[in-house]
Amino acid sequence: MSYCPHTEEDRNELLRAIGAAQLEDLFTDIPDRFTLKERLNLPAALSEQEVSVLMAAVASENMVPRMTLLGAGAYNHYIPAVVRHITSRSEFYTAYTPYQAEMSQGILQIIYEYQSMIAKLTGTQVANASMYDGATAMAEAAVLAAKSLGHSRIVVARSVHPEYRRVLSTYAWANGYEVAEVGFTPSGRIDVNALATAVSDNTAACLIQSPNFFGVIEDVAALEPLVHKCGALLVAGFTEATSLGILKPAGEMGADFVVGEGQSFGNPLNFGGPYLGIFAASDKFLRKIPGRLVGMTVDKEGNRGFVLTLQTREQHIRREKATSNICSNEALCALAAAVYLVSVGKNLKTLAVRNLEKARYLKTRLLELPGWEEVFSGPTYNEFVLRCPEAKEVNEKLRKQRIVGGYEMARAYPELGEALLFCATEMLTKDGIDAVVSILK
Amino acid sequence: MKLVYEISRPGRKAMEIPAGDCPGVDPAAVIEAGLLRDELDLPELSEVDLVRHFINLSRRNFGVDLGFYPLGSCTMKYNPKVNEDIAALEGFTCLHPYAPANFSQGAMRLMYELRAYLSEICGMADFTLQPAAGAHGELTGIMTIKRHFENKGETRSKLLIPDAAHGTNPASGALCGFQIVTVPSNAEGGIDLEHLREAMTEDVAGLMLTNPNTLGLFERNIEQVADIVHGKGGLLYCDGANMNALMGIARPGDLGFDIIQLNLHKTFSTPHGCGGPGSGPLGVKVPLVEFLPVPRIIKTEKSYVWSDEYPKSIGAVRSFFGNFGVMVKAYTYIRSLGAEGLREATEDAVLNANYIKERLKPYFDLPYDRTCMHECVFSGERQVKESGVHTSDIAKRLIDYGYHPPTIYFPLIVPEAIMIEPTETESKQTLDDFCTAMIAIAAEAKENPELVKSAPLSTPVRRLDEVLAARKPDVCWLK
């Protein structure tokens, strides 16, 4: 398959116009000893029909699950049909970053609407146009806090998603920052006493998640004074964005930055990406936050319009003085999230309640099984951790029925022993949950 | 157009949530009242209002499917439709990243093979697919370099970057704690060797070089450059944003580069989606493989499995495994084109850029008049001198002619820069029509400069007040 339109005649005509005898003449700047004399060793070219057949076969080597009881940072939610119809408009998906505002008013207005909805949802005043994912959004918030305060210690709750902590530690190492972890109590919440001793006047930021990796909802308002008292910034994350339908946003409880994974808003699981890094902040950080920002303005005739703004924050202007190097973001995922949020609207609360109900039912039913018990006592949303006789065996039984089981906590929390993190979204049915319990009986 | 919040009417709904089939739960009964939200300020629209809102906004946006998009350095080639359909197959979209590996063997094979294809194309030992964008790949690459020297017990605090480099390069280096030292370009647009020799000391970790560089010119002295950098124990990093100029022609690994990031959303035809998602795989030579991010896929006799067993790895730079959906499209593209197709793509990309360069040369200043690679860089200085028309005016006027403007004011070393990258997927007719428009604008600049300065005239909004936007930022609808 070739997507090049030129015929041999076209090529010859172009070469003549350039004054070159042959194509090779255009590559003479490359020293001859470096030019490839043989073809690259790649599989033979395929027609569209052949590549479609091939790729359908690759897709079918994967297994479409009957049911998914797994969350842990990636969530299986229903995606309204309008989302894919809008994101499939090639005026959107084949466009570049909206550098030319006059011919990009469509996406610029949508990003402005997205920023507005995210700021309101997170209880903040500013949201950027997106980061790569929840983990990098959190790491970048920590780096920004450290750079703007000149502090070099970052304190993170051990109940934050293990992958987020891993990304954080990579970013912190690269910048020469120290990371300290704070444990959790039997409630599954951050250990406030340990936090009090972990923060110092060199602490740049304290990083938590609510709901945290265990599904437990943190009391952000109770942590806030402790963090701010020592001059650090509070970064509150979330792994499950639909929880914002019922939970008080961290921005309203004193968090300086609210960051998290927005995949739940209209983006499929996709084996981990592309996802949507949500980055929101109090307006005092407006001129410091990373990534693109869209602002409302007027044209020379006074008509409302939208532009990329405050670009002096960004790497293409500040170069080595920028606090972030992000350039490409996840704009199309943000578009999906915007369409999703408009589609769901205030029903996001109903959806969140539905998640809560399914999760409670799943938890109640699983706790009927002999030897199963709850690990944490704190309030949860749509995820929870249960101790069970043999975590691997549970998942194996479910897998045989094409059901994706829970996250084996021993992978990241060996101290929790045989325990599984389960998730129930609106995609589960009562019958399905009952079937799961029968399989495990 | 009105904002969604302005269209919103209380009680309207676009989507129904199914009735519950599990026992009802009152959130207030199970979660402390102080942790529940009071109000939820989201717009309320009917489905038809929602669809018309977003579809009408799509009509105010310009993508490759609407017309020529010669945005230099961004490689805005055509995005094949079949790739979109394939990436949307349920067998790919339904996969949970933490599902047991038996659910995702096809996806893991695809990633494993994509790593091998990219290694072959670039002459590298291995790739990681974890970085989510080009700049993220750069960051991962510089982290890899940092770890390499840490591992050797060497402290190297500086990183060399040419003045023509993408802005992300110095930012990526600085985010890994390196002091950035700028290396000037020489008269023919290449790196100044004398200066490089001087700057390349034993506390320099390496040189980040874009080849072909941002002037669209191949670095002719690449051998000497590599010798100078390697001679002092440094590493040579290739910003692979311009790989569309080299596929099947030459391999960065053979040219002496130790490390390269690719932009799948440029070279490998995955769409840019109004700014993302991209994907920025990072390739390295043998000595650096052990530092790449984890987890990595390994192939055992029976299956593909994830492994974290790389104790010297820099760790993870993103959650899960990267932008998998983008990888599916790039994989499909490589399988469609094969070795000959990739080479043909590069040849035609270079052919098209040289054609535009020759056709426009009489009308615009060409600061570096050499055979170019996949893009060419003009300067609008002549127009500024003649009639006060700036490059930004020429760009805006092109919109009236139905084109997306080229990249402007970059690279920074060319005043009034106009950077044109046509890509291989454009026909001679398209190139000719574009050149005719550029030539007409050059004439307008002489004869009717005010017309050019007042462009665009055909868009839903006229030139926007960016100063106002920055001075009184309105980034969130408060009503």
Side-chain angles (χ1 to χ4, degrees):
Chain A
M1 189 66 213
S2 167
Y3 297 101
C4 301
H6 290 333
T7 60
E8 270 324 295
E9 203 184 314
D10 290 332
R11 285 195 184 96
N12 290 333
E13 228 179 301
L14 293 174
L15 283 169
R16 270 198 301 278
I18 295 166
Q22 53 200 348
L23 276 166
E24 286 72 25
D25 296 353
L26 303 177
F27 294 94
T28 50
D29 276 347
I30 305 177
D32 185 57
R33 56 175 287 227
F34 293 131
T35 56
L36 289 172
K37 309 297 182 288
E38 285 173 25
R39 267 192 307 181
L40 291 168
N41 181 20
L42 293 171
L46 298 172
S47 66
E48 180 177 319
Q49 184 182 334
E50 290 163 319
V51 87
S52 298
V53 171
L54 171 83
M55 296 308 290
V58 176
S60 67
E61 286 169 34
N62 300 319
M63 247 193 303
V64 179
R66 258 173 65 201
M67 230 184 292
T68 297
L69 307 175
L70 183 59
Y75 299 90
N76 184 34
H77 287 290
Y78 180 74
I79 301 175
V82 289
V83 173
R84 189 158 156 74
H85 277 270
I86 306 290
T87 55
S88 298
R89 288 290 291 201
S90 66
E91 295 89 336
F92 291 134
Y93 82 78
T94 73
Y96 200 74
T97 302
Y99 291 129
Q100 293 293 340
E102 296 85 355
M103 66 197 319
S104 313
Q105 284 300 294
I107 192 64
L108 285 165
Q109 178 171 334
I110 293 167
I111 294 172
Y112 178 86
E113 292 174 345
Y114 163 86
Q115 289 172 182
S116 302
M117 289 189 281
I118 295 298
K120 288 166 198 275
L121 269 176
T122 54
T124 57
Q125 295 83 47
V126 191
N128 77 7
S130 70
M131 308 293 281
Y132 306 135
D133 68 346
T136 56
M138 181 173 261
E140 292 238 18
V143 170
L144 172 58
K147 284 198 191 291
S148 54
L149 296 176
H151 297 175
S152 64
R153 182 177 165 87
I154 294 157
V155 173
V156 62
R158 187 160 163 72
S159 50
V160 165
H161 196 301
E163 298 235 14
Y164 290 35
R165 283 184 285 125
R166 185 148 79 162
V167 172
L168 171 72
S169 86
T170 307
Y171 275 64
W173 156 76
N175 281 283
Y177 305 144
E178 166 206 9
V179 178
E181 279 192 3
V182 175
F184 46 87
T185 65
S187 69
R189 285 179 171 168
I190 186 170
D191 183 338
V192 180
N193 295 327
L195 175 64
T197 52
V199 290
S200 67
D201 56 6
N202 187 34
T203 301
C206 172
L207 278 48
I208 58 149
Q209 261 178 337
S210 182
N212 63 26
F213 188 67
F214 312 141
V216 173
I217 303 158
E218 298 277 0
D219 188 355
V220 181
L223 307 172
E224 182 270 325
L226 200 62
V227 176
H228 285 146
K229 201 175 68 188
C230 74
L233 299 174
L234 179 58
V235 179
F238 51 83
T239 53
E240 169 48 301
T242 63
S243 67
L244 292 167
I246 49 171
L247 297 184
K248 178 168 284 198
E252 283 179 20
M253 296 187 280
D256 300 286
F257 298 100
V258 184
V259 292
E261 180 50 66
Q263 173 264 329
S264 293
F265 294 156
N267 288 283
L269 287 168
N270 255 335
F271 206 37
Y275 283 1
L276 170 66
I278 288 177
F279 192 107
S282 148
D283 54 4
K284 52 181 183 246
F285 300 102
L286 173 66
R287 290 173 191 275
K288 289 189 172 171
I289 66 170
R292 304 196 198 288
L293 266 178
V294 171
M296 188 190 280
T297 185
V298 291
D299 71 3
K300 55 190 194 181
E301 289 165 358
N303 299 308
R304 178 160 82 187
F306 302 87
V307 290
L308 290 175
T309 192
L310 302 176
Q311 293 192 71
T312 49
R313 295 168 298 116
E314 291 189 55
Q315 38 70 29
H316 61 275
I317 303 210
R318 279 182 72 78
R319 299 176 79 86
E320 70 265 28
K321 291 187 189 73
T323 49
S324 170
N325 75 333
I326 190 168
C327 186
S328 281
N329 55 19
E330 307 293 306
L332 203 69
C333 302
L335 169 63
V339 177
Y340 179 88
L341 287 170
V342 175
S343 174
V344 176
K346 289 188 192 291
N347 259 333
L348 187 64
K349 181 179 176 180
T350 316
L351 181 81
V353 172
R354 209 62 82 232
N355 276 254
L356 192 65
E357 290 168 355
K358 307 266 184 186
R360 284 191 79 77
Y361 185 70
L362 176 64
K363 190 199 290 185
T364 310
R365 292 291 335 261
L366 289 173
L367 285 172
E368 290 168 12
L369 297 168
W372 288 59
E373 59 181 21
E374 229 171 323
V375 173
F376 299 115
S377 61
T380 56
Y381 169 58
N382 67 356
E383 288 181 277
F384 52 87
V385 181
L386 297 185
R387 190 159 287 127
C388 57
E390 292 228 34
K392 275 200 187 337
E393 201 184 301
V394 168
N395 275 349
E396 191 52 25
K397 274 187 192 169
L398 293 170
R399 188 190 65 76
K400 284 186 182 145
Q401 301 295 321
R402 233 165 15 95
I403 297 170
V404 178
Y407 176 90
E408 290 161 25
M409 293 301 282
R411 284 176 62 171
Y413 300 90
E415 68 268 36
L416 295 179
E418 295 295 319
L420 288 164
L421 171 71
F422 286 103
C423 174
T425 71
E426 75 283 1
M427 301 296 270
L428 292 187
T429 61
K430 179 174 176 296
D431 291 349
I433 293 170
D434 292 339
V436 165
V437 177
S438 321
I439 292 165
L440 296 178
K441 257 186 187 152
Chain B
M1 270 180 63
K2 284 183 175 162
L3 293 166
V4 275
Y5 279 102
E6 294 169 308
I7 307 169
S8 173
R9 292 293 175 273
R12 283 208 183 129
K13 275 181 203 167
M15 182 188 164
E16 295 276 2
I17 310 295
D21 56 355
C22 295
V25 176
D26 173 11
V30 293
I31 300 167
E32 294 118 288
L35 301 181
L36 294 173
R37 75 183 305 146
D38 308 319
E39 60 161 345
L40 186 61
D41 190 4
L42 284 171
E44 296 171 274
L45 270 68
S46 67
E47 182 170 323
V48 64
D49 287 343
L50 176 156
V51 168
R52 286 184 184 147
H53 177 72
F54 287 107
I55 297 297
N56 277 302
L57 284 170
S58 79
R59 297 174 66 185
R60 294 181 160 212
N61 226 55
F62 189 90
V64 173
D65 284 0
L66 282 171
F68 188 46
Y69 211 125
L71 192 64
S73 223
C74 301
T75 315
M76 296 299 284
K77 58 172 79 175
Y78 172 70
N79 312 123
K81 299 302 150 196
V82 69
N83 299 359
E84 298 301 307
D85 291 353
I86 287 167
L89 291 173
E90 192 191 16
F92 294 125
T93 59
C94 75
L95 291 177
H96 192 292
Y98 282 156
N102 353 34
F103 280 90
S104 44
Q105 285 298 300
M108 292 171 80
R109 174 161 79 87
L110 183 150
M111 291 173 73
Y112 186 84
E113 290 176 355
L114 180 57
R115 261 163 60 192
Y117 299 160
L118 298 178
S119 300
E120 166 68 9
I121 293 165
C122 295
M124 291 288 161
D126 206 345
F127 263 82
T128 172
L129 305 175
Q130 204 178 82
H136 203 211
E138 288 174 27
L139 185 68
T140 310
I142 304 304
M143 286 172 174
T144 303
I145 291 174
K146 190 182 174 86
R147 179 57 53 97
H148 163 79
F149 287 111
E150 259 184 24
N151 187 54
K152 287 178 75 175
E154 289 181 30
T155 315
R156 296 191 177 223
S157 59
K158 293 177 185 160
L159 194 64
L160 306 184
I161 295 179
D163 52 6
H166 295 113
T168 49
N169 288 184
S172 300
L175 277 176
C176 292
F178 285 107
Q179 184 195 333
I180 307 303
V181 179
T182 305
V183 186
S185 302
N186 62 18
E188 57 166 27
I191 202 158
D192 186 314
L193 291 181
E194 274 319 297
H195 205 280
L196 177 65
R197 259 186 216 106
E198 225 168 87
M200 188 62 220
T201 53
E202 266 153 20
D203 64 343
V204 171
L207 169 70
M208 264 184 120
L209 187 65
T210 310
N211 195 15
N213 65 18
T214 58
L215 296 163
L217 304 175
F218 189 83
E219 179 56 64
R220 286 195 276 227
N221 299 321
I222 184 64
E223 256 183 297
Q224 292 95 309
V225 168
D227 286 348
I228 293 169
V229 173
H230 290 148
K232 296 285 181 181
L235 292 173
L236 191 56
Y237 181 101
C238 182
D239 179 336
N242 293 344
M243 192 61 203
N244 213 40
L246 295 179
M247 289 190 295
I249 302 283
R251 309 195 305 171
D254 301 341
L255 296 172
F257 287 102
D258 303 295
I259 186 163
I260 181 174
Q261 114 281 340
L262 295 175
N263 298 42
L264 297 186
H265 48 290
K266 294 180 180 177
T267 314
F268 295 94
S269 89
T270 74
H272 291 68
C274 288
S279 176
L282 182 80
V284 295
K285 292 258 180 81
V286 174
L288 300 173
V289 172
E290 60 181 339
F291 307 122
L292 290 179
V294 284
R296 295 171 59 74
I297 295 174
I298 35 180
K299 188 181 177 181
T300 67
E301 267 177 42
K302 284 189 208 144
S303 62
Y304 295 91
V305 292
W306 289 107
S307 173
D308 272 342
E309 304 300 313
Y310 296 87
K312 291 183 179 172
S313 160
I314 58 165
V317 293
R318 188 196 177 282
S319 62
F320 311 117
F321 326 123
N323 282 344
F324 174 74
V326 178
M327 298 170 207
V328 175
K329 296 175 197 181
Y331 179 95
T332 308
Y333 180 74
I334 293 171
R335 295 301 303 261
S336 296
L337 267 64
E340 274 172 38
L342 292 177
R343 185 184 169 108
E344 184 186 79
T346 285
E347 286 172 346
D348 284 354
V350 172
L351 180 64
N352 286 356
N354 277 288
Y355 180 68
I356 288 185
K357 176 176 71 74
E358 288 304 315
R359 284 225 36 205
L360 296 184
K361 208 158 78 175
Y363 306 93
F364 296 90
D365 289 348
L366 183 67
Y368 300 93
D369 190 1
R370 281 169 50 183
T371 299
C372 66
M373 299 295 281
H374 64 304
E375 62 195 0
C376 54
V377 180
F378 289 95
S379 165
E381 278 204 300
R382 187 189 311 177
Q383 283 70 27
V384 176
K385 274 185 216 132
E386 281 175 3
S387 52
V389 165
H390 285 267
T391 285
S392 54
D393 301 316
I394 294 168
K396 297 299 182 200
R397 186 65 182 142
L398 266 172
I399 297 175
D400 288 333
Y401 282 85
Y403 297 103
H404 193 285
T407 292
I408 53 174
Y409 300 104
F410 183 81
L412 306 177
I413 56 171
V414 174
E416 299 286 328
I418 305 171
M419 184 194 217
I420 303 173
E421 180 179 10
T423 84
E424 71 280 9
T425 57
E426 302 300 332
S427 68
K428 180 173 182 296
Q429 286 82 351
T430 302
L431 304 180
D432 282 334
D433 291 348
F434 172 75
C435 289
T436 304
M438 285 292 283
I439 293 163
I441 294 169
E444 285 175 351
K446 272 187 197 162
E447 292 148 18
N448 191 357
E450 288 315 307
L451 172 72
V452 182
K453 286 184 203 172
S454 63
L457 304 163
S458 59
T459 44
V461 291
R462 302 290 300 279
R463 276 194 214 192
L464 291 153
D465 190 342
E466 294 185 9
V467 176
L468 174 74
R471 196 172 290 156
K472 291 185 178 173
D474 173 357
V475 296
C476 176
W477 182 248
L478 292 174
K479 276 139 226 149

